[in-house]
Amino acid sequence: MAQIDIDELHEEMLQCRRCGLCREAVYEAKGFNGICPVWENTSGFETDAMRGKIMVALALVEGRLEKTAENAEALFQCTLCGNCTQICPAEFEPNRVIEQVRAILDVPIKVRDSLADNIFEKDNPYDEPADKKREWTRELDFSIPTTGETIYFAGCTAALRNPRVARNTARILHIAGIDFAVMENEPCCGSVMMRTGKMDKAVENAQEAAKRFKEAGVQRIIVSCAGCFKTLKKDYEELGIEMPEVVHVVDLAKELIEQGRLQPTDMDEEMTITYHDPCHLGREMNVYDSPRDILTAIPGVTLVEMETHHDKAKCCGAGGGLRSYDSDLSKRIAASRVKEAEATGADIIATACPFCETNLSSGAELAGIQLGTLDVVDILVKALESKTKK
Ligand code: SF4
Ligand code: SF4
């Protein structure tokens, strides 16, 4: 996110035509069925969907509403998923506007301030000791160096909350014969600070992260988290920060399968899988095919699509800082996404982001739905290791 021009931002907000399409448009031909996951899972107040959020943002920026945490609540009850932006007929990007208004308002929001403090003190937003971030490597039957030109950047969520994804990503890279390292002092990408408007701190953190990569001689960063991917690749570039190449593991694995360096083979069971597009991987980075191509390259896997998918996919509910700001709402959104997956008849809802996977799993639990939630790397590794064992 480059420097924010407040006048320009104000102009953008005025583009809102108040049409309300962002609230609940149903365009079957376009694959939309309902739009705003927050509006769908709250009481349905005007401020729950983007039209109302823009009105609140305008009032706050123009000074008609006092800049308090309570008055800014509607702006933070949003996953910034960008679904509204997909259908908005006006010439602006509402989700980006909300993200920028969060950044310029400078109202004290307890949750985001403590997330930022944790990142500065411990290199992760989860208030875990920094040296715990590499613990997941211990359960592997091969060792990973701490320095190298190619690194796997596990990210805080996989490292500390969903280590299965980190381990399975590492296994895939190992099977493909990729020489890679996992840093001892892996920084946090700072995604949650950018999304929640803690921009000054986020920029400082990004500069420090880039410095660490440079000092370690890193040339290529492999990630498995959609949020890390968007942040390290797109946001850092917009900030003018020089970075090594950043690649998401699904793009890399797809390439490795095509080259024959990864050969997924029959799994022990047949699986019907539906794929959930993470907002940061799909709408933000335009990666839709690689995860689907990986899944369909696995014999025994049948891929089915949910009612909303690709750029129309509904959000898992975790993004935009919502999981920390309002975890109940975040889980309710995940539960509705899981219900959509259940309706396909699939056994598994797969995704390509440990943050989405964690939230979808909470959603399945909340809804009492017996549907497996996995990352694409979990499924791929199963198909690779069954061959290795034969
Ligand atoms: S960005 Fe997503 S959650 Fe936020 S208002 Fe738009 S559709 Fe709703
Ligand atoms: S944000 Fe876009 S879709 Fe929503 S009311 Fe305004 S113009 Fe319409």
Side-chain angles (χ1 to χ4, degrees):
M1 189 195 282
Q3 189 73 24
I4 299 166
D5 180 322
I6 298 181
D7 292 335
E8 232 172 70
L9 179 60
H10 186 240
E11 274 300 308
E12 279 198 66
M13 282 190 272
L14 294 174
Q15 296 303 313
C16 175
R17 303 290 183 252
R18 311 271 189 270
C19 64
L21 287 176
C22 52
R23 197 177 69 174
E24 196 190 18
V26 179
Y27 287 165
E28 275 174 37
K30 288 187 179 181
F32 277 115
N33 182 359
I35 292 292
C36 177
V38 168
W39 187 80
E40 264 187 334
N41 289 284
T42 44
S43 319
F45 288 118
E46 180 67 20
T47 50
D48 291 331
M50 187 51 86
R51 179 170 66 177
K53 294 183 194 303
I54 295 281
M55 286 160 77
V56 173
L58 263 173
L60 285 163
V61 169
E62 289 171 355
R64 287 180 283 117
L65 201 56
E66 202 189 333
K67 294 181 181 65
T68 64
E70 290 72 27
N71 288 342
E73 193 183 16
L75 307 189
F76 287 88
Q77 269 183 339
C78 170
T79 65
L80 303 179
C81 69
N83 217 357
C84 50
T85 298
Q86 282 295 314
I87 198 130
C88 178
E91 283 177 13
F92 79 123
E93 295 177 61
N95 65 321
R96 231 165 265 270
V97 160
I98 294 298
E99 189 175 310
Q100 295 193 344
V101 175
R102 286 178 179 187
I104 61 156
L105 272 185
D106 200 27
V107 290
I109 306 285
K110 223 169 140 196
V111 171
R112 76 166 167 183
D113 293 349
S114 64
L115 288 171
D117 290 346
N118 287 339
I119 290 171
F120 268 77
E121 280 165 36
K122 298 167 182 169
D123 279 340
N124 74 85
Y126 296 115
D127 201 17
E128 300 278 4
D131 58 8
K132 216 176 151 191
K133 280 184 82 175
R134 214 178 176 281
E135 256 179 25
W136 62 268
T137 59
R138 288 198 204 145
E139 279 180 43
L140 292 166
D141 54 10
F142 55 92
S143 58
I144 306 175
T146 53
T147 54
E149 286 191 359
T150 295
I151 59 160
Y152 167 44
F153 183 96
C156 307
T157 303
L160 298 164
R161 292 290 180 266
N162 202 334
R164 193 191 65 231
V165 171
R167 281 194 284 269
N168 285 338
T169 304
R171 281 189 183 105
I172 289 169
L173 302 178
H174 182 69
I175 293 169
I178 290 174
D179 209 0
F180 71 100
V182 172
M183 290 171 87
E184 215 153 18
N185 63 341
E186 182 187 287
C188 170
C189 69
S191 171
V192 72
M193 289 194 284
M194 293 191 190
R195 311 286 84 85
T196 57
K198 209 75 189 160
M199 271 317 278
D200 48 346
K201 292 253 184 191
V203 172
E204 209 184 308
N205 178 75
Q207 284 160 345
E208 167 64 21
K211 191 170 136 226
R212 286 189 206 174
F213 298 138
K214 199 169 184 180
E215 281 170 0
V218 176
Q219 302 286 325
R220 180 166 68 148
I221 301 175
I222 300 165
V223 296
S224 51
C225 174
C228 295
F229 186 49
K230 192 246 170 181
T231 307
L232 294 174
K233 199 173 164 83
K234 193 170 173 181
D235 292 312
Y236 281 31
E237 191 187 317
E238 281 177 18
L239 287 168
I241 292 174
E242 209 184 307
M243 281 285 286
E245 180 193 357
V246 184
V247 53
H248 193 284
V249 68
V250 289
D251 283 335
L252 178 64
K254 181 198 162 165
E255 223 178 277
L256 293 166
I257 291 171
E258 283 166 0
Q259 291 166 359
R261 287 174 68 186
L262 289 176
Q263 295 176 2
T265 187
D266 270 328
M267 292 190 289
D268 303 332
E269 51 196 315
E270 304 234 316
M271 275 186 194
T272 302
I273 300 177
T274 189
Y275 175 72
H276 164 79
D277 291 277
C279 308
H280 278 136
L281 194 61
R283 277 188 286 271
E284 290 286 351
M285 302 301 285
N286 214 23
V287 177
Y288 297 108
D289 293 340
S290 297
R292 289 178 168 85
D293 290 347
I294 293 171
L295 292 171
T296 49
I298 301 175
V301 166
T302 305
L303 182 69
V304 289
E305 295 290 358
M306 284 180 263
E307 197 175 353
T308 65
H309 53 88
H310 290 77
D311 59 341
K312 323 291 188 311
K314 282 192 191 163
C315 176
C316 77
L322 190 71
R323 172 94 188 188
S324 307
Y325 186 76
D326 187 341
S327 68
D328 288 344
L329 172 57
S330 174
K331 286 176 199 163
R332 289 202 301 278
I333 294 174
S336 32
R337 185 60 171 158
V338 173
K339 281 180 199 156
E340 200 181 331
E342 189 190 31
T344 64
D347 314 302
I348 305 278
I349 176 169
T351 188
C353 175
F355 202 42
C356 293
E357 201 269 320
T358 308
N359 213 41
L360 290 169
S361 155
S362 306
E365 198 183 316
L366 180 69
I369 292 175
Q370 302 295 318
L371 180 79
T373 59
L374 287 175
D375 194 286
V376 170
V377 294
D378 301 325
I379 300 160
L380 178 59
V381 101
K382 214 168 145 73
L384 294 170
E385 289 189 339
S386 71
K387 178 174 173 104
T388 326
K389 278 178 212 144
K390 275 174 193 165

